[in-house]
Amino acid sequence: MSRWLAFAPLVVLALLAALFIGWSLKRDPDVKPAALVGRPVPETVLPMLAADGTGAVLDLKTAGRGRPMLINVFASWCAPCRVEHPKLLALKEQGVTVIGVAYKDRPEDTRAFLTELGDPFAFVLVDADGQAGLDLGITGAPETFAVNAMGTVTAKHSGALIDDADVARLVEAMQHVGPREPR
């Protein structure tokens, strides 16, 4: 009897491995969570990035209320953020309001990043500890949220904005009252 008990952990491990393999085969890797779509921007008070380091604090929920905007979560250490940066600069040229959230980044690094590549943001909020990222439900940087004039998230894009169709979808979604299909 004790001999069979010695094999019990191996049997349990084999069953868990089979369950995991079965789950992963049915999982769609293209599905990205967009739990915030259709909901208001969360109340998250963050300091604004200031040249002298004495930024005032601002609640992300009320930052753009009354006007549609994009919220872009980025970081100076994020390579895809550099790739998408020209698209954000083009949006600024078109008059689109983009609010930046510097995710887990030091303010001096964020300032250097924006000085080097240009500043596409109406303003930048500093999320040094990543709490705003948790509140927004991001999976990593960069991620961009379309927010309508009522402060409701209407669409989300995970990853770098490099495709013109994705950019257009987010800009269009900012104008809608209800949520758009996540992608």
Side-chain angles (χ1 to χ4, degrees):
M1 180 71 159
S2 63
R3 180 178 249 175
W4 292 108
L5 286 177
F7 290 105
L10 291 175
V11 171
V12 170
L13 185 60
L15 288 173
L16 287 174
L19 284 173
F20 177 75
I21 290 169
W23 172 81
S24 63
L25 289 175
K26 293 181 182 183
R27 183 179 161 271
D28 184 357
D30 292 329
V31 173
K32 296 195 168 71
L36 203 55
V37 174
R39 303 174 90 190
V41 174
E43 291 182 31
T44 305
V45 178
L46 295 170
M48 293 178 67
L49 182 69
D52 61 1
T54 60
V57 295
L58 187 65
D59 187 345
L60 189 58
K61 181 178 183 123
T62 59
R65 178 132 324 144
R67 65 176 186 223
M69 65 179 172
L70 295 177
I71 298 173
N72 179 259
V73 180
F74 75 102
S76 65
W77 46 262
C78 164
C81 296
R82 288 182 172 274
V83 172
E84 81 172 357
H85 207 79
K87 296 290 185 190
L88 297 175
L89 289 168
L91 286 168
K92 181 179 182 177
E93 290 287 321
Q94 297 169 17
V96 175
T97 300
V98 183
I99 295 173
V101 176
Y103 178 67
K104 293 188 175 182
D105 208 0
R106 296 184 337 206
E108 57 272 15
D109 293 341
T110 301
R111 281 192 288 277
F113 176 83
L114 296 175
T115 299
E116 176 188 348
L117 299 177
D119 188 352
F121 303 113
F123 54 86
V124 176
L125 300 173
V126 179
D127 183 22
D129 63 359
Q131 184 59 49
L134 289 174
D135 293 346
L136 290 167
I138 70 165
T139 56
E143 289 196 14
T144 306
F145 299 84
V147 180
N148 66 16
M150 280 82 64
T152 301
V153 176
T154 55
K156 173 186 175 183
H157 180 81
S158 297
L161 283 172
I162 52 175
D163 185 7
D164 289 335
D166 289 332
V167 174
R169 181 183 61 82
L170 284 174
V171 171
E172 179 188 342
M174 293 174 10
Q175 310 304 322
H176 290 281
V177 174
R180 308 299 286 168
E181 283 297 312
R183 199 179 128 147

